[in-house]
Amino acid sequence: MIAAQLLAYYFTELKDDRTKKIDKYLYAMRFSDETVRDIMCRFRREMENGLARDTNPTSNVKMLPTFVRSIPDGSEKGDFIALDLGGSNFRILRVKVSHEKKQNVQMESEVYETPEHIIHGSGTQLFDHVAECLGDFMEKKKIKDKKLPVGFTFSFPCQQTKLDEAVLVTWTKRFKVSGVEGMDVVKLLNKAIKKRGDYDADIMAVVNDTVGTMMTCGFDDQRCEVGIIIGTGTNACYMEELRHIDLVEGDEGRMCINTEWGAFGDDGSLEDIRTEFDREIDRGSLNPGKQLFEKMASGMYMGELVRLILVKMAKEGQLFEGRITPELLTKGKIETKHVSAMEKSKEGLSKTKEVLTRLGVEPSEEDCVAVQHVCTIVSFRSANLISATLGAILSRLKDNKGVPRLRTTVGIDGSLYKMHPQYA
Ligand code: BGC
């Protein structure tokens, strides 16, 4: 009994000692409350710059008008098709909303591959592929003869002047398709569908995934006025007073603004909190110098951030007795889903051992504790960053309403948010 207690005591001590050392090592990734508040204030200013006519052209945070003017009220009904392109999966859904007896939503969906040669190919190839998948879906559901309204969730920054027009500003995340930036994606998709000639579709609306999230949440909860995605990429939208949106005519009512907060910091405004690891991630990315906030916070980069930290620590002899393997040195070998697994409260430590063993570094118990702590710091930083930018949106909503306390609902979705054991 005493021996077991002693062992437990030593292990806790050892764990404490190890985590304290890592805390020190990664101090630049651990924000004080003051820093988080400071980032919140900076983002609030960015939002204002993006909304104002004079500063919008040079603003990195684009604050794009979406032409969505209200949240659903739950009375909506009909038979629709939804395309969802740009997240971790390309999905097509048929959604039937009815009110017989009680509110009723039926959904059927299929996931389609978007192979590497398509997401790094030409615009024609991409939209031919989307049109082909849509054709396959309609064939499967036996609705090829119907002309159902299509809603297109396109998870990239788009300039819109109406609901059914969306000009791509720039690709982000894993996509880099030639000949689409500066083009209206509705036109490109319509053209690809016409060219086939085997079915008809009516693309009624293009929305960002954040807007889709806000509206889906709003269907059940009328108080929802913010939508957030924390997945492969990250972004948020919220309902802004029309009188504050210089780029859209009119003063009455509200409009949803797609903030595109992933680009926060692209003008250098986050240099004081970016680390050598963030700079290395950026250098090796498809879009260097762009989406710097996204690269610190979203799922596409988190596993790689952890890997870069481990490589440095191993090189300095602080982990794995200095063992460095080709696997550890290979980009992409630690994915965000591994980070999530390593942080699980019960099996986390054994998962960590599994992940590290696969990298061939022969980890000791102490190494596993250390690596788990590195993961926690990287995830916690991401959550801190998102809390700062969300705080800015909420404080703006509160000021817009002129209330002493804000009561609101935030709709959140995305693979990182949903899969990570502690994130929420
Ligand atoms: C895109 C946003 C999108 C977010 C989440 C970002 O890279 O720029 O439009 O909402 O990813 O998918």
Side-chain angles (χ1 to χ4, degrees):
M1 182 63 194
I2 295 199
Q5 272 172 348
L6 264 179
L7 205 69
Y9 172 77
Y10 277 122
F11 189 67
T12 327
E13 280 290 288
L14 178 124
K15 201 172 156 177
D16 268 10
D17 200 48
R18 202 63 189 124
T19 51
K20 271 192 203 127
K21 241 173 135 177
I22 306 263
D23 280 345
K24 245 194 199 152
Y25 191 77
L26 295 177
Y27 75 96
M29 293 186 127
R30 299 173 59 243
F31 300 147
S32 63
D33 289 1
E34 194 192 337
T35 305
V36 176
R37 247 181 249 116
D38 181 29
I39 300 167
M40 170 172 130
C41 295
R42 288 187 220 177
F43 188 65
R44 194 101 196 227
R45 273 197 299 277
E46 295 282 345
M47 290 172 71
E48 279 143 25
N49 286 341
L51 287 171
R53 186 182 306 278
D54 298 345
T55 41
N56 171 276
T58 52
S59 166
N60 287 284
V61 176
K62 279 296 170 210
M63 304 295 282
L64 301 162
T66 64
F67 292 82
V68 168
R69 289 167 187 270
S70 61
I71 300 154
D73 62 12
S75 73
E76 296 73 12
K77 56 184 181 195
D79 193 354
F80 311 95
I81 287 182
L83 292 177
D84 180 2
L85 181 70
S88 32
N89 283 316
F90 169 35
R91 290 185 310 160
I92 305 183
L93 304 88
R94 182 180 186 188
V95 187
K96 282 194 219 169
V97 189
S98 67
H99 293 277
E100 281 152 25
K101 287 188 196 140
K102 60 180 200 323
Q103 198 182 66
N104 180 1
V105 182
Q106 282 173 31
M107 282 199 279
E108 304 170 86
S109 73
E110 302 273 338
V111 171
Y112 290 90
E113 298 272 307
T114 38
E116 194 74 11
H117 75 272
I118 298 271
I119 61 176
H120 295 159
S122 73
T124 315
Q125 282 171 318
L126 173 67
F127 286 98
D128 285 352
H129 176 69
V130 173
E132 187 188 326
C133 295
L134 183 54
D136 173 82
F137 182 83
M138 293 175 78
E139 180 92 53
K140 270 198 186 128
K141 305 294 166 201
K142 302 200 169 51
I143 46 174
K144 247 183 158 173
D145 54 326
K146 292 192 181 172
K147 190 177 178 182
L148 295 181
V150 177
F152 188 8
T153 301
F154 185 65
S155 313
F156 300 97
C158 288
Q159 211 98 49
Q160 297 192 267
T161 55
K162 48 187 179 190
L163 257 186
D164 60 352
E165 183 195 282
V167 174
L168 177 66
V169 178
T170 177
W171 288 112
T172 59
K173 299 174 282 196
R174 294 183 216 282
F175 280 67
K176 205 174 177 79
V177 183
S178 62
V180 187
E181 287 171 350
M183 307 284 276
D184 173 11
V185 295
V186 176
K187 278 215 184 89
L188 296 179
L189 180 55
N190 270 330
K191 198 170 129 196
I193 294 173
K194 271 238 169 64
K195 193 164 78 185
R196 294 172 57 89
D198 58 338
Y199 66 89
D200 232 348
D202 194 3
I203 304 162
M204 311 279 286
V206 182
V207 292
N208 188 262
D209 50 353
T210 55
V211 181
T213 298
M214 183 191 75
M215 305 257 274
T216 308
C217 180
F219 189 70
D220 293 319
D221 181 344
Q222 276 278 294
R223 284 196 274 212
C224 180
E225 49 191 348
V226 182
I228 297 189
I229 298 285
I230 312 168
T232 310
T234 183
N235 188 17
C237 71
Y238 73 103
M239 295 302 290
E240 177 60 89
E241 303 300 317
L242 203 54
R243 63 177 189 280
H244 295 151
I245 310 173
D246 284 1
L247 300 177
V248 179
E249 293 288 312
D251 281 336
E252 290 297 305
R254 303 203 290 173
M255 183 180 282
C256 177
I257 289 288
N258 166 13
T259 65
E260 285 298 330
W261 75 19
F264 181 26
D266 290 8
D267 58 351
S269 61
L270 292 176
E271 285 320 291
D272 57 331
I273 58 162
R274 288 177 72 229
T275 64
E276 58 184 293
F277 309 112
D278 299 303
R279 291 181 227 282
E280 195 166 341
I281 292 270
D282 182 48
R283 278 196 296 275
S285 70
L286 280 174
N287 51 352
K290 285 189 176 173
Q291 299 291 103
L292 297 185
F293 178 79
E294 176 161 278
K295 285 169 186 163
M296 298 171 86
S298 80
M300 182 166 161
Y301 309 95
M302 217 150 107
E304 188 61 9
L305 272 173
V306 168
R307 190 186 68 82
L308 293 176
I309 296 169
L310 302 192
V311 168
K312 184 172 181 208
M313 291 182 72
K315 280 187 178 160
E316 291 172 357
Q318 304 213 40
L319 279 177
F320 322 131
E321 293 173 332
R323 274 185 296 278
I324 293 166
T325 61
E327 288 83 4
L328 180 65
L329 291 175
T330 305
K331 188 173 168 183
K333 275 283 170 184
I334 300 182
E335 294 173 43
T336 299
K337 63 172 189 221
H338 299 135
V339 176
S340 288
M342 291 192 274
E343 282 186 65
K344 287 208 169 125
S345 52
K346 277 207 193 104
E347 328 102 273
L349 217 48
S350 65
K351 291 276 178 208
T352 309
K353 190 162 187 189
E354 241 175 78
V355 171
L356 296 175
T357 305
R358 234 181 294 133
L359 298 177
V361 291
E362 301 167 37
S364 67
E365 186 84 24
E366 217 185 314
D367 286 331
C368 293
V369 171
V371 170
Q372 198 177 36
H373 197 57
V374 169
C375 292
T376 312
I377 291 177
V378 173
S379 310
F380 211 87
R381 183 183 71 152
S382 156
N384 267 178
L385 287 166
I386 303 281
S387 74
T389 45
L390 173 59
I393 291 180
L394 294 176
S395 81
R396 174 136 188 122
L397 275 175
K398 178 167 160 284
D399 291 352
N400 279 348
K401 290 181 201 247
V403 291
R405 271 176 77 91
L406 178 70
R407 167 63 181 88
T408 192
T409 301
V410 179
I412 311 189
D413 203 351
S415 48
L416 173 55
Y417 183 80
K418 285 199 296 198
M419 276 166 60
H420 192 284
Q422 259 88 244
Y423 205 98

